[in-house]
Amino acid sequence: ADTNGDGISTGSAGDWNRIYFSGSVIGFLTRLEHCQVRYAGSGNDGALYLNQADVPVVSCEIRDSSSYGLQVQDCSPAIENNTITGNAGHGIRLYYGSPAVRGNTVANNNCGIHSQYNGAATVIENNVITDNRDWGIYFADAPTVAPIAGNTVTGNHRPAYLPATAVPGDAEANTLSPNTVNGLWIRSNTRAADLHLKVLYEGEAREINTYQVTGTLAMSGGLTVDPGVIVKFAD
């Protein structure tokens, strides 16, 4: 805002540290909505850092941080309908907890959404994740989470590295291409639901026909691999 009448204020990434919520916050009495958080990140913990604080972040703009945009640690807030863009680190870093990440636009960061050590109730739905320098969605481990659903993951270097349980089917209605490298990477865990590895967007320049599996994939449901699909095993 132009509070001193000399034009719109400008800044640079890392001009200040962060907004921080800790476990002492009463979650149901605290909420961030329609806020702008810009030019933070100098402490390398993100522009907005929720640590053991289930504070909903809704319809905010978080941008131009010198580290992460939003870091969520040891808590499970609702992260909904935000624009998180232009950050030097990951747009959203999820570290422990089981947050619900829905309806966000996450663009021009390192990874779009980066998850590590999160719980089974973690949700990633209906986000637009685009033009990130590395992965669109990246799981560093393999929690037993539900399939990602309704996301548009395009224009990133690679689309997604997902636990086997999170690999979507047609019913989840994701758009996973085009990206610079088109494929899908799978971190193995035990999957009860059927898994169908198929050629996506067949015949188009954005075709996905390759799946790379890391670790041991244990299936208690059915596994179908269509003709024309390439499966690579990282180990």
Short mmCIF file of all heavy atoms in Angstrom, two decimals, residues 93-124:
data_model
loop_
_atom_site.label_atom_id
_atom_site.label_comp_id
_atom_site.label_asym_id
_atom_site.label_seq_id
_atom_site.Cartn_x
_atom_site.Cartn_y
_atom_site.Cartn_z
N ARG A 93 6.13 -26.14 1.70
CA ARG A 93 6.88 -27.24 2.29
C ARG A 93 6.06 -27.82 3.44
O ARG A 93 5.74 -27.12 4.42
CB ARG A 93 8.23 -26.78 2.82
CG ARG A 93 9.06 -27.98 3.32
CD ARG A 93 10.31 -27.57 4.04
NE ARG A 93 11.15 -28.74 4.33
CZ ARG A 93 11.80 -28.93 5.48
NH1 ARG A 93 11.72 -28.03 6.45
NH2 ARG A 93 12.51 -30.01 5.66
N LEU A 94 5.71 -29.10 3.32
CA LEU A 94 4.94 -29.81 4.34
C LEU A 94 5.88 -30.76 5.06
O LEU A 94 6.48 -31.65 4.43
CB LEU A 94 3.81 -30.60 3.68
CG LEU A 94 2.90 -29.81 2.72
CD1 LEU A 94 1.89 -30.74 2.08
CD2 LEU A 94 2.21 -28.67 3.46
N TYR A 95 5.99 -30.62 6.38
CA TYR A 95 6.98 -31.38 7.15
C TYR A 95 6.31 -31.87 8.43
O TYR A 95 6.05 -31.10 9.35
CB TYR A 95 8.17 -30.46 7.47
CG TYR A 95 9.38 -31.14 8.05
CD1 TYR A 95 10.08 -32.11 7.33
CD2 TYR A 95 9.84 -30.81 9.31
CE1 TYR A 95 11.21 -32.71 7.86
CE2 TYR A 95 10.97 -31.40 9.86
CZ TYR A 95 11.65 -32.35 9.12
OH TYR A 95 12.77 -32.96 9.66
N TYR A 96 5.98 -33.17 8.46
CA TYR A 96 5.15 -33.76 9.50
C TYR A 96 3.75 -33.15 9.43
O TYR A 96 3.49 -32.20 8.71
CB TYR A 96 5.77 -33.61 10.89
CG TYR A 96 7.02 -34.43 11.10
CD1 TYR A 96 8.28 -33.89 10.92
CD2 TYR A 96 6.93 -35.78 11.47
CE1 TYR A 96 9.43 -34.65 11.12
CE2 TYR A 96 8.08 -36.55 11.66
CZ TYR A 96 9.32 -35.98 11.49
OH TYR A 96 10.46 -36.73 11.68
N GLY A 97 2.81 -33.72 10.17
CA GLY A 97 1.43 -33.25 10.13
C GLY A 97 0.65 -33.87 8.99
O GLY A 97 1.14 -34.71 8.23
N SER A 98 -0.61 -33.46 8.86
CA SER A 98 -1.51 -33.94 7.80
C SER A 98 -2.36 -32.78 7.29
O SER A 98 -3.57 -32.74 7.49
CB SER A 98 -2.40 -35.07 8.31
OG SER A 98 -1.64 -36.22 8.65
N PRO A 99 -1.75 -31.81 6.63
CA PRO A 99 -2.50 -30.63 6.16
C PRO A 99 -3.39 -30.97 4.97
O PRO A 99 -3.19 -31.96 4.27
CB PRO A 99 -1.40 -29.65 5.78
CG PRO A 99 -0.24 -30.52 5.43
CD PRO A 99 -0.32 -31.71 6.32
N ALA A 100 -4.36 -30.11 4.72
CA ALA A 100 -5.23 -30.19 3.54
C ALA A 100 -4.89 -29.02 2.64
O ALA A 100 -5.11 -27.86 3.00
CB ALA A 100 -6.69 -30.15 3.95
N VAL A 101 -4.34 -29.33 1.47
CA VAL A 101 -3.87 -28.32 0.52
C VAL A 101 -4.83 -28.34 -0.66
O VAL A 101 -4.79 -29.25 -1.49
CB VAL A 101 -2.43 -28.60 0.09
CG1 VAL A 101 -1.92 -27.52 -0.85
CG2 VAL A 101 -1.51 -28.71 1.31
N ARG A 102 -5.68 -27.33 -0.76
CA ARG A 102 -6.76 -27.35 -1.75
C ARG A 102 -6.89 -25.99 -2.45
O ARG A 102 -6.86 -24.94 -1.81
CB ARG A 102 -8.11 -27.66 -1.10
CG ARG A 102 -8.24 -29.04 -0.48
CD ARG A 102 -9.67 -29.28 -0.04
NE ARG A 102 -9.91 -30.61 0.44
CZ ARG A 102 -9.96 -30.95 1.74
NH1 ARG A 102 -9.77 -30.01 2.66
NH2 ARG A 102 -10.19 -32.19 2.11
N GLY A 103 -7.03 -26.04 -3.76
CA GLY A 103 -7.44 -24.88 -4.52
C GLY A 103 -6.42 -23.78 -4.65
O GLY A 103 -6.77 -22.64 -4.96
N ASN A 104 -5.13 -24.10 -4.45
CA ASN A 104 -4.09 -23.08 -4.51
C ASN A 104 -3.47 -22.99 -5.91
O ASN A 104 -3.47 -23.96 -6.67
CB ASN A 104 -2.99 -23.42 -3.50
CG ASN A 104 -3.52 -23.56 -2.09
OD1 ASN A 104 -3.77 -22.57 -1.42
ND2 ASN A 104 -3.72 -24.80 -1.64
N THR A 105 -2.92 -21.84 -6.22
CA THR A 105 -2.06 -21.66 -7.39
C THR A 105 -0.63 -21.55 -6.88
O THR A 105 -0.32 -20.65 -6.10
CB THR A 105 -2.45 -20.41 -8.18
OG1 THR A 105 -3.78 -20.58 -8.68
CG2 THR A 105 -1.49 -20.20 -9.34
N VAL A 106 0.22 -22.50 -7.32
CA VAL A 106 1.59 -22.57 -6.82
C VAL A 106 2.50 -22.55 -8.05
O VAL A 106 2.58 -23.53 -8.80
CB VAL A 106 1.82 -23.85 -5.99
CG1 VAL A 106 3.18 -23.82 -5.32
CG2 VAL A 106 0.71 -24.02 -4.93
N ALA A 107 3.20 -21.44 -8.27
CA ALA A 107 3.90 -21.24 -9.53
C ALA A 107 5.25 -20.56 -9.32
O ALA A 107 5.42 -19.73 -8.41
CB ALA A 107 3.05 -20.38 -10.47
N ASN A 108 6.21 -20.93 -10.19
CA ASN A 108 7.50 -20.25 -10.26
C ASN A 108 8.27 -20.31 -8.94
O ASN A 108 8.86 -19.31 -8.51
CB ASN A 108 7.32 -18.80 -10.71
CG ASN A 108 6.76 -18.71 -12.11
OD1 ASN A 108 7.36 -19.18 -13.07
ND2 ASN A 108 5.57 -18.13 -12.24
N ASN A 109 8.25 -21.49 -8.31
CA ASN A 109 9.05 -21.74 -7.12
C ASN A 109 10.10 -22.80 -7.46
O ASN A 109 10.31 -23.11 -8.62
CB ASN A 109 8.14 -22.21 -5.98
CG ASN A 109 6.96 -21.28 -5.76
OD1 ASN A 109 7.12 -20.20 -5.20
ND2 ASN A 109 5.77 -21.68 -6.22
N ASN A 110 10.76 -23.38 -6.44
CA ASN A 110 11.65 -24.51 -6.70
C ASN A 110 10.77 -25.74 -6.96
O ASN A 110 10.43 -26.03 -8.10
CB ASN A 110 12.63 -24.71 -5.55
CG ASN A 110 13.66 -25.78 -5.87
OD1 ASN A 110 14.04 -25.95 -7.02
ND2 ASN A 110 14.09 -26.52 -4.86
N CYS A 111 10.37 -26.49 -5.94
CA CYS A 111 9.26 -27.43 -6.08
C CYS A 111 7.96 -26.66 -5.80
O CYS A 111 7.96 -25.71 -5.02
CB CYS A 111 9.38 -28.59 -5.11
SG CYS A 111 10.70 -29.75 -5.48
N GLY A 112 6.88 -27.13 -6.40
CA GLY A 112 5.60 -26.54 -6.07
C GLY A 112 5.18 -26.90 -4.66
O GLY A 112 5.08 -26.05 -3.77
N ILE A 113 4.92 -28.22 -4.44
CA ILE A 113 4.58 -28.74 -3.12
C ILE A 113 5.58 -29.83 -2.78
O ILE A 113 5.75 -30.79 -3.54
CB ILE A 113 3.15 -29.31 -3.10
CG1 ILE A 113 2.13 -28.22 -3.42
CG2 ILE A 113 2.84 -29.95 -1.75
CD1 ILE A 113 0.71 -28.73 -3.57
N HIS A 114 6.26 -29.70 -1.64
CA HIS A 114 7.27 -30.65 -1.18
C HIS A 114 6.81 -31.23 0.15
O HIS A 114 6.56 -30.49 1.10
CB HIS A 114 8.61 -29.95 -1.02
CG HIS A 114 9.76 -30.86 -0.68
ND1 HIS A 114 9.93 -31.43 0.57
CD2 HIS A 114 10.79 -31.30 -1.45
CE1 HIS A 114 11.02 -32.16 0.56
NE2 HIS A 114 11.57 -32.11 -0.65
N SER A 115 6.66 -32.56 0.21
CA SER A 115 6.14 -33.23 1.40
C SER A 115 7.18 -34.19 1.97
O SER A 115 7.80 -34.95 1.22
CB SER A 115 4.87 -34.01 1.04
OG SER A 115 4.45 -34.83 2.12
N GLN A 116 7.32 -34.16 3.30
CA GLN A 116 8.24 -35.10 3.97
C GLN A 116 7.69 -35.44 5.35
O GLN A 116 7.34 -34.54 6.12
CB GLN A 116 9.63 -34.48 4.09
CG GLN A 116 10.69 -35.45 4.60
CD GLN A 116 12.09 -34.86 4.50
OE1 GLN A 116 12.27 -33.68 4.25
NE2 GLN A 116 13.10 -35.69 4.68
N TYR A 117 7.60 -36.73 5.64
CA TYR A 117 7.17 -37.24 6.94
C TYR A 117 5.75 -36.82 7.30
O TYR A 117 5.42 -36.60 8.47
CB TYR A 117 8.12 -36.81 8.07
CG TYR A 117 9.56 -37.18 7.84
CD1 TYR A 117 10.58 -36.25 8.02
CD2 TYR A 117 9.92 -38.47 7.44
CE1 TYR A 117 11.91 -36.59 7.82
CE2 TYR A 117 11.24 -38.81 7.23
CZ TYR A 117 12.23 -37.87 7.42
OH TYR A 117 13.55 -38.20 7.21
N ASN A 118 4.88 -36.71 6.32
CA ASN A 118 3.50 -36.33 6.59
C ASN A 118 2.61 -37.55 6.76
O ASN A 118 2.93 -38.65 6.32
CB ASN A 118 2.99 -35.41 5.49
CG ASN A 118 3.60 -34.03 5.61
OD1 ASN A 118 3.24 -33.26 6.49
ND2 ASN A 118 4.56 -33.73 4.76
N GLY A 119 1.45 -37.35 7.40
CA GLY A 119 0.57 -38.43 7.77
C GLY A 119 -0.42 -38.81 6.68
O GLY A 119 -0.55 -38.15 5.65
N ALA A 120 -1.15 -39.89 6.96
CA ALA A 120 -2.06 -40.47 5.97
C ALA A 120 -3.21 -39.55 5.60
O ALA A 120 -3.79 -39.70 4.53
CB ALA A 120 -2.60 -41.80 6.51
N ALA A 121 -3.56 -38.60 6.46
CA ALA A 121 -4.68 -37.72 6.17
C ALA A 121 -4.30 -36.51 5.32
O ALA A 121 -5.15 -35.66 5.05
CB ALA A 121 -5.32 -37.25 7.48
N THR A 122 -3.06 -36.43 4.89
CA THR A 122 -2.63 -35.33 4.02
C THR A 122 -3.44 -35.34 2.72
O THR A 122 -3.63 -36.39 2.11
CB THR A 122 -1.13 -35.46 3.70
OG1 THR A 122 -0.39 -35.42 4.93
CG2 THR A 122 -0.66 -34.34 2.80
N VAL A 123 -3.90 -34.16 2.30
CA VAL A 123 -4.74 -34.03 1.10
C VAL A 123 -4.10 -33.02 0.16
O VAL A 123 -3.71 -31.93 0.58
CB VAL A 123 -6.16 -33.57 1.49
CG1 VAL A 123 -6.98 -33.26 0.24
CG2 VAL A 123 -6.85 -34.62 2.34
N ILE A 124 -4.01 -33.38 -1.14
CA ILE A 124 -3.56 -32.45 -2.17
C ILE A 124 -4.59 -32.51 -3.29
O ILE A 124 -4.64 -33.47 -4.06
CB ILE A 124 -2.16 -32.81 -2.68
CG1 ILE A 124 -1.13 -32.72 -1.53
CG2 ILE A 124 -1.74 -31.88 -3.82
CD1 ILE A 124 0.27 -33.13 -1.92
#
